[in-house]
Amino acid sequence: MEQLQDKSLVKQSSYIDGQWQQGNGAIDIINPANDDCIAQVANAGIEQAEQAIAAAKQAFPAWAKKSAGERAQLMRKWFDLMMSHQQDLGRILTLEQGKPLAEAKGEIAYGASFIEWFAEEGKRIYGDVIPSPAADKRIMVLKQPIGVVAAITPWNFPNAMIARKAAAALAAGCTFVVRPATQTPLSALAMAELADRAGIPAGVFNVVVGDDAKGIGKVLTQHPDVAKFTFTGSTQTGKALIEQCATTVKKVSMELGGNAPFIVFDDADIDAAVQGAIASKYRNAGQTCVCTNRIFVQQSVVEEFTAKYVEQVGKLKVGNGLDEGVDIGPLITQEALSGVTKLVEDSVAQGAKVVLGGRTLDMGKNFYAPTVMTGVKNTMPIAESEIFGPVSPIISFTDENEVIAMANDTDVGLAAYFYSRDIGRIWRVAEGLEYGMVGINEGLISNAAAPFGGVKQSGNGREGSKYGLDDYLEIKYLCLGGLDK
Ligand code: ADP
């Protein structure tokens, strides 16, 4: 923290209605790399969540009334400030979350890119004029901001999961209340400080930090003044929150868990597949919802792929994310570490083999070695669960239909990846995969211009792209009659 250029980016209380509000007691923010307490943040509760909603409700009419260009100017300033403080924001993110600094700075640029992109896209919220079946009538469609948006976000992308939602909401003319994950509120509060400096009016962007996830969650999902609820997190929590939203029939979008297949066909460029798999698997120590979860390799190339993959994975450097050259940081908590350890052990008990790693590392409490497993079956715990850790299970297959069936044999459908150079196969497989996003000969697919989201129990709604605005807009139909003289 001492090395930050701008220490006033570290805030210690919730940001509500343009004010830094106190709470009851404090939450310790722990660096997962070494267990140090890096800051304390006031613990807000139900009352503060209600205040934030009231502030967002009050700020809504004036924000909605601004032209898209006026909103874009303020958002552009916010974007510029995030980019000019990228180094500090990255450092704060690494300190509270653990990911390597280069990745953390990448996340800041990625999060900021949504603010820039949606600020511009907000100018293109076009309505429609529809040919009327009656000569004396005209049919028109307006798109209007839905109102107050409430969000709950996870710890794995403390900046970007907020930016992706807030950017679209604010560009559409909505006001916004977010409860960030308890482990990683500092990045959210730093965003609020920069929103404040950018001149985004009080009440438009609010951050409520509190450890009563359930209590605050109930307010955000059930309050009658919240029109839309958006969540990124586990499928289990998402399901409970959807149920809560039913009480007031809120518009809901959900970015939930995945179980991404990564398929390597025998005609693939194997070296490119190795690089793609590493990028999609080991980013953020495997703790992303689009991380490769199961690597399927066609029988005839499984030996070649595995040898090259193990060699490359073995070179990844694990350590404190602030240290030079580190590729993989700690997992977020000890519970996360025990979860990964158990998945590996249970799968080994069922016949899987660890060919690299497969153990915790003695450099802090939360470090797990980059791991590769072979002889894995699609029904083993490591293949059926979302791993959220640096473990690659390799499953071999013989034919295309078999692997599509195995890839789809899960309740979730967020991201999938495959490598092939056969154009017919590329179409067949891309169309056959029951996933919201498919990377073809590419392991990193997410950006502000593209629609991010899942099918099946991975959720609904899309973040990013022109489709991302729809989640924050209502369609209003106007029928103008009596045109005959
Ligand atoms: P993860 O396993 O990634 O922590 P969760 O779905 O448990 O996934 O958490 C995602 C976010 O949801 C976090 O901000 C967490 O604090 C919050 N959360 C967890 N449980 C609840 C709940 N019952 N009600 C509201 N928010 C919750």
Side-chain angles (χ1 to χ4, degrees), residues 314-332:
K315 291 181 185 160
L316 296 174
K317 188 175 163 197
V318 183
N320 184 320
L322 291 180
D323 292 345
E324 199 61 41
V326 163
D327 302 298
I328 300 186
L331 298 185
I332 188 75

Side-chain angles (χ1 to χ4, degrees), residues 331-351:
L331 298 185
I332 188 75
T333 54
Q334 276 189 280
E335 296 80 71
L337 189 79
S338 349
V340 173
T341 305
K342 183 161 168 27
L343 283 178
V344 172
E345 282 172 359
D346 289 353
S347 302
V348 167
Q350 292 182 22

Side-chain angles (χ1 to χ4, degrees), residues 356-435:
L356 184 74
R359 62 199 166 85
T360 54
L361 293 173
D362 204 11
M363 44 177 58
K365 284 189 182 154
N366 304 340
F367 289 91
Y368 198 83
T371 297
V372 180
M373 298 172 84
T374 57
V376 176
K377 299 268 173 287
N378 205 28
T379 48
M380 288 181 182
I382 199 77
E384 288 198 322
S385 321
E386 192 176 27
I387 304 169
F388 252 58
V391 181
S392 299
I394 297 181
I395 303 171
S396 71
F397 70 92
T398 49
D399 87 40
E400 194 180 300
N401 288 334
E402 176 201 9
V403 77
I404 293 175
M406 284 201 288
N408 290 342
D409 187 16
T410 165
D411 290 336
V412 290
L414 192 58
Y417 310 87
F418 69 93
Y419 276 63
S420 168
R421 285 175 295 189
D422 175 323
I423 191 66
R425 171 174 276 166
I426 285 177
W427 276 107
R428 287 190 304 272
V429 177
E431 289 175 359
L433 289 170
E434 295 164 0
Y435 287 82

Side-chain angles (χ1 to χ4, degrees), residues 267-282:
D267 61 282
D269 176 337
I270 300 293
D271 294 323
V274 165
Q275 289 313 319
I278 288 176
S280 96
K281 172 73 248 184
Y282 291 99

Side-chain angles (χ1 to χ4, degrees), residues 152-155 179-182 213-214 217 231-234 237 241 388:
I152 295 179
T153 53
W155 49 263
R179 176 193 174 273
T182 322
K214 281 198 172 150
F231 174 73
T232 300
S234 63
T237 303
L241 297 174
F388 252 58

Side-chain angles (χ1 to χ4, degrees), residues 124-444:
R124 288 179 280 276
I125 300 176
Y126 301 135
D128 256 328
V129 180
I130 298 174
S132 164
D136 66 336
K137 293 190 179 121
R138 296 293 179 268
I139 295 174
M140 287 156 290
V141 171
L142 294 184
K143 291 191 182 170
Q144 294 183 306
I146 186 163
V148 174
V149 173
I152 295 179
T153 53
W155 49 263
N156 61 344
F157 289 92
N159 174 293
M161 292 304 105
I162 297 173
R164 286 209 312 207
K165 297 174 189 303
L170 266 57
C174 298
T175 53
F176 192 81
V177 177
V178 59
R179 176 193 174 273
T182 322
Q183 297 92 335
T184 57
L186 298 178
S187 295
L189 295 172
M191 286 173 78
E193 166 66 11
L194 295 178
D196 194 80
R197 290 185 202 172
I200 292 185
V204 170
F205 180 77
N206 305 275
V207 181
V208 179
V209 178
D211 64 5
D212 179 9
K214 281 198 172 150
I216 297 173
K218 278 219 165 97
V219 176
L220 298 184
T221 50
Q222 297 186 333
H223 199 293
D225 290 338
V226 172
K228 150 103 196 172
F229 178 74
T230 169
F231 174 73
T232 300
S234 63
T235 299
Q236 193 191 359
T237 303
K239 285 180 186 174
L241 297 174
I242 293 171
E243 249 182 80
Q244 289 173 204
C245 285
T247 56
T248 48
V249 195
K250 291 191 200 320
K251 186 159 168 158
V252 170
S253 38
M254 293 276 146
E255 297 286 2
L256 307 177
N259 182 354
F262 187 105
I263 306 169
V264 184
F265 287 100
D266 55 7
D267 61 282
D269 176 337
I270 300 293
D271 294 323
V274 165
Q275 289 313 319
I278 288 176
S280 96
K281 172 73 248 184
Y282 291 99
R283 197 160 62 103
N284 204 7
Q287 305 171 108
T288 89
C289 48
V290 293
C291 271
T292 287
N293 212 58
R294 297 169 288 163
I295 303 181
F296 294 99
V297 189
Q298 201 152 13
Q299 189 71 54
S300 56
V301 292
V302 73
E303 216 168 289
E304 180 191 354
F305 176 88
T306 306
K308 288 180 168 172
Y309 190 66
V310 166
E311 189 192 340
Q312 294 300 317
V313 175
K315 291 181 185 160
L316 296 174
K317 188 175 163 197
V318 183
N320 184 320
L322 291 180
D323 292 345
E324 199 61 41
V326 163
D327 302 298
I328 300 186
L331 298 185
I332 188 75
T333 54
Q334 276 189 280
E335 296 80 71
L337 189 79
S338 349
V340 173
T341 305
K342 183 161 168 27
L343 283 178
V344 172
E345 282 172 359
D346 289 353
S347 302
V348 167
Q350 292 182 22
K353 258 209 266 171
V354 169
V355 291
L356 184 74
R359 62 199 166 85
T360 54
L361 293 173
D362 204 11
M363 44 177 58
K365 284 189 182 154
N366 304 340
F367 289 91
Y368 198 83
T371 297
V372 180
M373 298 172 84
T374 57
V376 176
K377 299 268 173 287
N378 205 28
T379 48
M380 288 181 182
I382 199 77
E384 288 198 322
S385 321
E386 192 176 27
I387 304 169
F388 252 58
V391 181
S392 299
I394 297 181
I395 303 171
S396 71
F397 70 92
T398 49
D399 87 40
E400 194 180 300
N401 288 334
E402 176 201 9
V403 77
I404 293 175
M406 284 201 288
N408 290 342
D409 187 16
T410 165
D411 290 336
V412 290
L414 192 58
Y417 310 87
F418 69 93
Y419 276 63
S420 168
R421 285 175 295 189
D422 175 323
I423 191 66
R425 171 174 276 166
I426 285 177
W427 276 107
R428 287 190 304 272
V429 177
E431 289 175 359
L433 289 170
E434 295 164 0
Y435 287 82
M437 299 174 279
V438 181
I440 306 163
N441 298 324
E442 183 56 64
L444 295 175

